[in-house]
Amino acid sequence: MLSIAISSVMDNRMNEPNQNEQNSIFITNLQHGETVNYSLVIIKGIITYGACNNYEKIRCKSNRNKTESFWEVYNREFKVLIELEKGDNVIDLEFTGLHKTNLLLRYEPRKTNLRVTPVYIICQGHDGCFQCPPEINNSIESACARIAFGSKIIQSVTAEKLHESGVGRKTFQLEHEVDTKSPECLVFRSALNVNKARKMKQDELWTHFGRELMLSELGSNERKFLGFISCTRFKGTDIDKPLTHDEIVSYTEAYAALGGGGLALFGTACLYTWPSSVSDIVPKLLDPNPVNTKRFMDDSGYRGTIGGCFATTLGSVFHELGHTFDLGHTKDGIMGRGFDNIDRVFLVGEKRSAATKDNNNFNGKPVQHSTVSLQRNINVTMNVAEPLRVLGPRSKTTLGNFVSMSKSDIVRRSPNVTPITRPSSVYSTITNRMADSKRNANRNNGNDTVYWPRNCAVLLSYHRWFNNEFGRERQAITRYLKFDKNKMMILSTAGLRIVEVRDESNADKSPGYKEVINLLLSNWQYLIHLVIEMESRFSFEDLNYFPPLENGHINIIKFLKASSDLLSIVDCFGKLLKPVKQDMQGNIEKIKNNFVLDERSCLLDLMLKETNAGGNIGAEATLWLNRALLFFELTFKEILEHLKEKREINMKIIFNTAYQGSVKKYHNWAVQKLFMVICQLSPTFPQIISSLGLENRDCFEEKMTLFNDSLHVVRCAIDNFFIDNSLFCDA
């Protein structure tokens, strides 16, 4: 719980409006004033002090929606779900009538044409009513409401889990966010007869509907369709014994759970278990009523409950939509079987534990694998050649004459090419063995076992559907990636990074892919930056200094490089400062996303231009990053003074001194107490030196003196900029 609670130590804007320092409601995953590009938000937090039992609930109310909602608090932990409206939303939270806080969130969809389009597919001859118990509304309108809301849930969890992975709160946009005139779920009338559809296999349905959608007026390469078949029907059975999942599927017509390319397709046999509003999410997940397995499909991961059906089918949609974003299977997490427990994302305490799927087999039957292929373990050995020399300014090598160059010339002269060679001498051996402790740590990401494995998080963070499109035309000209079949070589102008290795042999055939490629290497390898050419692991010897002031200008590219190198140093201060690093990384990403970056851009000019135009996202991110820079400047200053005077270095005292002189005044009472705990658990200075890969203190003292001097000059210039332009005077 401690690591969650300190996630905003450096950038604690969420607490600025609180007039009472004794406020006990501490929000752990969002910042006051944060902008999100999706409407359904999960607010996580803790009650930091005072009496707290498991019977009281936290009250939530928005200024844009006057409806009140109440949410469980268990062992001081709470989770609140609220649907935002476009623009600013002020959310009031109140606990036991004594403790109150408010959170400002801005909902602003990204400007993009790339979208996920929820579609309800009605076959010819079918009335559009999905299968359900008689007391449930199964109209077309009800189906669309459930599908639309389920899509928002998946959109929200995608963002939250990427945020927990450290790559930013990124997600896709939905159809109605891109085209405001479009309904939240489209109804598509298929020419396929209902009787024929019920006789087709799921891969045949995927192929047919995919082709039909693309040939319709909806067809576009800027859409990924999330389709649901209205005529799915569980035929029923009189068999009393429990059925395996394969047996259940055999009794189900027009069943599908497939994703890839531009379509993720699903049946609707369990759609009746889905909610259509925020207030229904938790009750639906906790619904303990058993599925009538003789009349309705049980797709609950062998839990046998209505709540289990909702969790497993929602998670399955989440998983298959991941395939449309080019993700492969993983051993654990969302792209493995971790999606079964998606209910844990929304629940707290005993209810979360009670609803969790048991990993043990049900009555000895094999675990349900409707969407995941089994994997085989391998050992991989590869060559990693010497880093290729970067071309000098006089080199005449261009993309145009790569073809005419020999392989040896390319390797010798160009940083943009990596030859594919067979293993001979071993420079690096990589295996797929991972310690159980690391695996368990990954499973507990966000305290709910649902997470993006590192390779998936990296792929999604760079995916077109998750990023702004601005500037892509220019990037397409300057960035080049091509596989030359004749020379068996990969040509790249931007370097190569191995993120994931997949095996095409012995793979299952599946729609949307020529082959489903099973992931073979374990997640830990993607925590290592195995990079060829342009990018390499951080080395303290190659530390980038902050840029010198040139006519009052701060080069933004060099500023961001130095800030990123500082984050690598922060890694060496121990895992407890990881949340601090994530806050700084988040501000760096905001600067990158809100400013046009080139070698001549000045950070101060860009902030002034932004604020004059009425914006402040990039400037505010710079403000909070600069405050964090002051903390580390004072930390390094204290260390260097102790080294110079040959005094004992006590990192606990140094961290506390730096905190007192920098960001403490921006934090409330609860955060200040939490930071005191961090100081007590800080690593020793010899441990930091060892983590940096240094043999002695001399190298650290020499490099850090220059680094800290450059940091001081730039930080002061940024401070003066805010003062001179009267920006954030009350922040």
Side-chain angles (χ1 to χ4, degrees):
M1 184 62 68
L2 176 61
S3 62
I4 297 176
I6 63 175
S7 63
S8 291
V9 168
M10 283 298 156
D11 192 354
N12 197 41
R13 279 165 278 182
M14 71 186 85
N15 294 291
E16 289 177 2
N18 299 341
Q19 300 299 319
N20 180 9
E21 275 199 342
Q22 303 300 311
N23 199 320
S24 69
I25 301 175
F26 188 85
I27 300 169
T28 60
N29 68 322
L30 289 160
Q31 299 171 352
H32 187 81
E34 186 166 348
T35 298
V36 296
N37 62 308
Y38 53 98
S39 61
L40 184 64
V41 173
I42 305 170
I43 303 173
K44 301 179 184 180
I46 57 173
I47 308 301
T48 57
Y49 83 99
C52 180
N53 58 55
N54 295 332
Y55 304 102
E56 299 285 351
K57 294 186 177 182
I58 191 166
R59 182 182 69 87
C60 175
K61 186 176 181 180
S62 170
N63 69 322
R64 302 290 295 275
N65 184 345
K66 302 303 181 181
T67 303
E68 291 184 341
S69 60
F70 295 86
W71 303 86
E72 299 282 348
V73 176
Y74 189 88
N75 285 347
R76 300 186 177 274
E77 177 189 4
F78 66 84
K79 295 179 182 179
V80 171
L81 283 84
I82 188 167
E83 193 162 6
L84 307 179
E85 296 186 24
K86 289 184 180 178
D88 290 339
N89 296 256
V90 178
I91 302 162
D92 294 317
L93 298 174
E94 179 183 310
F95 181 64
T96 67
L98 299 176
H99 305 287
K100 301 179 181 180
T101 192
N102 60 64
L103 175 67
L104 172 63
L105 295 177
R106 181 172 182 81
Y107 167 38
E108 186 176 311
R110 282 186 292 106
K111 295 180 179 179
T112 178
N113 289 323
L114 306 177
R115 81 289 299 266
V116 170
T117 305
V119 179
Y120 189 51
I121 302 172
I122 302 176
C123 289
Q124 184 186 65
H126 191 253
D127 60 7
C129 296
F130 58 91
Q131 187 180 34
C132 70
E135 68 274 11
I136 292 177
N137 179 4
N138 65 344
S139 65
I140 296 174
E141 293 75 19
S142 175
C144 288
R146 295 167 193 264
I147 293 168
F149 194 69
S151 302
K152 292 179 183 179
I153 296 175
I154 293 171
Q155 181 190 40
S156 176
V157 177
T158 298
E160 192 65 26
K161 292 302 163 183
L162 282 178
H163 172 69
E164 290 176 5
S165 298
V167 298
R169 191 174 266 109
K170 295 184 176 183
T171 191
F172 52 86
Q173 301 298 154
L174 292 168
E175 176 74 31
H176 72 278
E177 295 172 318
V178 176
D179 181 2
T180 55
K181 297 180 181 179
S182 175
E184 293 184 345
C185 177
L186 303 180
V187 175
F188 181 76
R189 301 279 179 175
S190 171
L192 180 64
N193 181 268
V194 58
N195 295 322
K196 185 176 181 180
R198 284 174 171 167
K199 295 178 181 178
M200 295 171 68
K201 297 179 180 179
Q202 58 176 334
D203 57 336
E204 295 172 333
L205 290 168
W206 187 95
T207 301
H208 180 91
F209 290 132
R211 182 180 295 112
E212 197 173 15
L213 283 165
M214 288 304 293
L215 292 176
S216 73
E217 61 181 10
L218 296 176
S220 170
N221 289 328
E222 294 179 336
R223 283 190 173 100
K224 290 188 181 294
F225 293 99
L226 185 57
F228 293 80
I229 309 167
S230 70
C231 63
T232 307
R233 182 173 65 184
F234 182 71
K235 293 182 292 186
T237 176
D238 293 327
I239 299 176
D240 290 328
K241 70 173 185 177
L243 301 177
T244 66
H245 181 71
D246 287 342
E247 290 171 334
I248 293 171
V249 170
S250 70
Y251 286 103
T252 309
E253 298 173 328
Y255 168 84
L258 291 175
L263 172 63
L265 184 67
F266 301 89
T268 54
C270 294
L271 187 61
Y272 73 92
T273 67
W274 285 32
S276 57
S277 65
V278 172
S279 60
D280 289 337
I281 293 181
V282 172
K284 287 284 188 181
L285 289 171
L286 294 176
D287 191 339
N289 291 309
V291 177
N292 183 346
T293 55
K294 292 186 177 182
R295 293 190 57 193
F296 300 102
M297 184 180 189
D298 178 8
D299 196 359
S300 63
Y302 297 119
R303 284 174 279 196
T305 64
I306 299 296
C309 275
F310 170 37
T312 289
T313 52
L314 179 71
S316 178
V317 174
F318 192 12
H319 173 102
E320 296 300 336
L321 187 61
H323 284 314
T324 70
F325 295 125
D326 311 309
L327 301 182
H329 287 138
T330 58
K331 190 171 184 179
D332 298 300
I334 295 162
M335 297 311 294
R337 286 301 303 189
F339 65 77
D340 274 303
N341 292 330
I342 196 171
D343 44 325
R344 291 176 62 91
V345 176
F346 308 100
L347 304 178
V348 294
E350 290 180 343
K351 292 184 177 181
R352 176 175 60 205
S353 301
T356 302
K357 174 188 170 184
D358 188 354
N359 289 327
N360 296 324
N361 293 349
F362 180 78
N363 287 349
K365 295 191 299 294
V367 175
Q368 170 184 339
H369 280 280
S370 60
T371 58
V372 179
S373 301
L374 295 176
Q375 302 169 35
R376 59 189 176 88
N377 294 331
I378 64 167
N379 289 337
V380 178
T381 302
M382 65 171 62
N383 286 346
V384 179
E386 291 294 323
L388 299 173
R389 181 173 57 85
V390 177
L391 293 175
R394 296 185 180 181
S395 171
K396 296 182 180 180
T397 302
T398 64
L399 290 175
N401 62 18
F402 268 146
V403 178
S404 61
M405 296 170 64
S406 68
K407 181 185 295 187
S408 60
D409 284 340
I410 295 175
V411 172
R412 178 173 53 84
R413 296 177 56 191
S414 172
N416 303 321
V417 182
T418 302
I420 299 176
T421 59
R422 297 179 181 274
S424 53
S425 59
V426 179
Y427 287 86
S428 175
T429 300
I430 299 179
T431 70
N432 65 338
R433 298 173 183 172
M434 181 170 63
D436 288 339
S437 59
K438 290 185 178 181
R439 184 183 295 114
N440 292 333
N442 281 337
R443 286 175 178 164
N444 291 326
N445 196 348
N447 199 30
D448 54 34
T449 75
V450 180
Y451 68 97
W452 291 114
R454 180 61 181 173
N455 53 306
C456 295
V458 170
L459 290 172
L460 290 180
S461 70
Y462 289 101
H463 201 284
R464 291 179 62 207
W465 255 256
F466 288 68
N467 289 280
N468 295 324
E469 292 183 90
F470 178 78
R472 287 194 174 273
E473 295 80 5
R474 183 177 63 184
Q475 292 178 4
I477 298 173
T478 59
R479 298 180 182 179
Y480 181 95
L481 180 66
K482 180 180 179 181
F483 176 61
D484 188 328
K485 292 183 179 179
N486 296 325
K487 296 184 178 181
M488 290 296 291
M489 303 176 71
I490 296 175
L491 311 181
S492 169
T493 61
L496 293 174
R497 174 180 176 182
I498 297 176
V499 176
E500 183 174 300
V501 178
R502 301 183 185 180
D503 177 26
E504 295 186 1
S505 64
N506 195 29
D508 299 326
K509 302 292 182 181
S510 181
Y513 295 103
K514 292 182 178 178
E515 292 175 315
V516 171
I517 306 173
N518 295 331
L519 178 65
L520 296 174
L521 301 183
S522 298
N523 304 339
W524 71 272
Q525 293 169 57
Y526 312 115
L527 299 176
I528 301 174
H529 286 197
L530 179 57
V531 181
I532 303 173
E533 301 176 2
M534 299 295 287
E535 187 179 348
S536 61
R537 294 181 63 186
F538 171 75
S539 169
F540 189 77
E541 296 289 339
D542 300 324
L543 180 65
N544 285 291
Y545 301 138
F546 284 86
L549 292 181
E550 297 178 356
N551 298 322
H553 286 63
I554 299 174
N555 184 294
I556 190 170
I557 299 293
K558 295 179 180 179
F559 172 79
L560 292 175
K561 284 182 179 179
S563 298
S564 297
D565 277 7
L566 175 58
L567 295 184
S568 298
I569 297 175
V570 175
D571 280 337
C572 302
F573 286 173
K575 293 182 179 179
L576 278 174
L577 284 184
K578 183 178 179 181
V580 176
K581 175 188 173 182
Q582 290 177 342
D583 283 330
M584 295 175 66
Q585 183 67 59
N587 286 317
I588 290 173
E589 291 301 321
K590 288 180 182 178
I591 294 171
K592 290 180 179 179
N593 292 335
N594 284 279
F595 294 143
V596 178
L597 309 181
D598 61 50
E599 293 295 339
R600 297 180 299 277
S601 295
C602 169
L603 174 62
L604 305 182
D605 290 345
L606 291 172
M607 287 195 292
L608 187 61
K609 182 178 179 181
E610 179 192 45
T611 53
N612 287 340
N616 68 354
I617 295 176
E620 189 176 16
T622 305
L623 171 75
W624 283 98
L625 177 60
N626 207 46
R627 288 173 175 174
L629 293 180
L630 174 58
F631 169 78
F632 287 106
E633 178 191 335
L634 296 179
T635 298
F636 297 141
K637 180 182 178 182
E638 287 291 317
I639 293 174
L640 292 171
E641 287 181 354
H642 280 65
L643 287 174
K644 184 177 181 180
E645 298 171 6
K646 297 183 178 180
R647 287 186 286 157
E648 180 184 357
I649 298 177
N650 187 322
M651 292 306 301
K652 299 175 184 178
I653 297 176
I654 287 177
F655 278 141
N656 186 56
T657 301
Y659 181 64
Q660 297 278 348
S662 56
V663 293
K664 180 180 179 180
K665 59 185 177 182
Y666 305 113
H667 294 164
N668 67 13
W669 174 85
V671 179
Q672 292 174 11
K673 293 297 182 184
L674 287 169
F675 197 89
M676 294 298 294
V677 176
I678 295 176
C679 292
Q680 296 302 314
L681 300 174
S682 60
T684 64
F685 183 65
Q687 288 173 331
I688 294 174
I689 291 294
S690 177
S691 297
L692 288 169
L694 303 177
E695 295 182 358
N696 55 61
R697 304 178 178 189
D698 294 339
C699 180
F700 176 87
E701 185 174 5
E702 178 184 351
K703 298 284 290 186
M704 190 50 67
T705 298
L706 296 173
F707 180 84
N708 217 38
D709 288 345
S710 68
L711 166 58
H712 174 75
V713 172
V714 169
R715 187 194 57 75
C716 289
I718 295 174
D719 274 348
N720 291 335
F721 169 83
F722 288 124
I723 294 172
D724 294 342
N725 291 278
S726 301
L727 296 175
F728 307 109
C729 297
D730 55 347

